[in-house]
Amino acid sequence: MTSIPLQELPEHKGKVVGQSPWKNVSQETIQAFADATGDHQWIHVDVERARKEAPWGAPVAHGFLTLSLIPQLNQQAVTITGPVATINYGMNKVRLPAAVKSGSDIRSTVELLDVQDVDDKRVLATYRTTIEIKGEDKPAVVAENLAMYVKP
């Protein structure tokens, strides 16, 4: 994991600042997400049908499940030291180029695109997070995510 002091963050603009370890996306995780969100589409939760009828030959994770793993993965990739709080400020752009099959391993690569002082207490960072699927050519997610850092 990379650790970067907030005051040094601008020096890393345009660079990859971290990469998470691999995380398995199990069928149990997919089922829990389906239960939490009410999205029980068969391509996610009907293992036998998905193996026979889905284009991937397996059940797949919800795109929003994969997207929701960005905070967990990115916290394992890079830590910004110094702020009293880090706020998920949203997304600028999200694409889901490939599905994550049940049982696949994923990881995030985090690139710092921009850093701006909002005022004397807040710094807004724009990251490009790419979630890679082990053994696959296309990523599962490419997103511009925003983090607001609050200075002490």
Side-chain angles (χ1 to χ4, degrees):
M1 175 188 315
T2 305
S3 181
I4 302 171
L6 182 59
Q7 67 270 19
E8 295 177 16
L9 195 56
E11 299 168 25
H12 297 273
K13 187 175 170 182
K15 299 177 185 173
V16 170
V17 292
Q19 187 170 65
S20 74
W22 292 102
K23 174 181 178 49
N24 185 266
V25 181
S26 68
Q27 187 61 40
E28 293 77 20
T29 300
I30 294 168
Q31 184 66 52
F33 189 85
D35 292 342
T37 62
D39 182 352
H40 291 95
Q41 188 178 161
W42 67 268
I43 63 171
H44 306 302
V45 298
D46 188 334
V47 175
E48 291 309 313
R49 184 176 176 192
R51 285 184 180 147
K52 293 175 186 173
E53 297 180 34
W56 311 277
V60 293
H62 307 70
F64 281 122
L65 165 57
T66 309
L67 190 63
S68 74
L69 292 172
I70 286 177
Q72 179 185 14
L73 294 169
N74 286 4
Q75 288 173 13
Q76 296 173 1
V78 61
T79 298
I80 306 304
T81 59
V84 295
T86 301
I87 300 163
N88 174 356
Y89 199 67
M91 303 262 178
N92 285 339
K93 183 177 179 181
V94 176
R95 295 292 180 262
L96 307 168
V100 177
K101 294 178 193 174
S102 176
S104 294
D105 293 325
I106 62 172
R107 69 177 173 190
S108 69
T109 299
V110 185
E111 179 185 356
L112 179 63
L113 298 179
D114 195 21
V115 182
Q116 297 178 353
D117 287 326
V118 176
D119 54 34
D120 62 338
K121 285 289 190 184
R122 297 177 299 159
V123 175
L124 181 63
T126 304
Y127 296 97
R128 178 182 298 119
T129 297
T130 303
I131 298 184
E132 164 188 5
I133 309 165
K134 189 181 250 183
E136 298 289 334
D137 293 334
K138 290 183 180 179
V141 173
V142 180
E144 281 186 19
N145 55 299
L146 308 172
M148 183 74 72
Y149 300 110
V150 181
K151 298 177 185 179

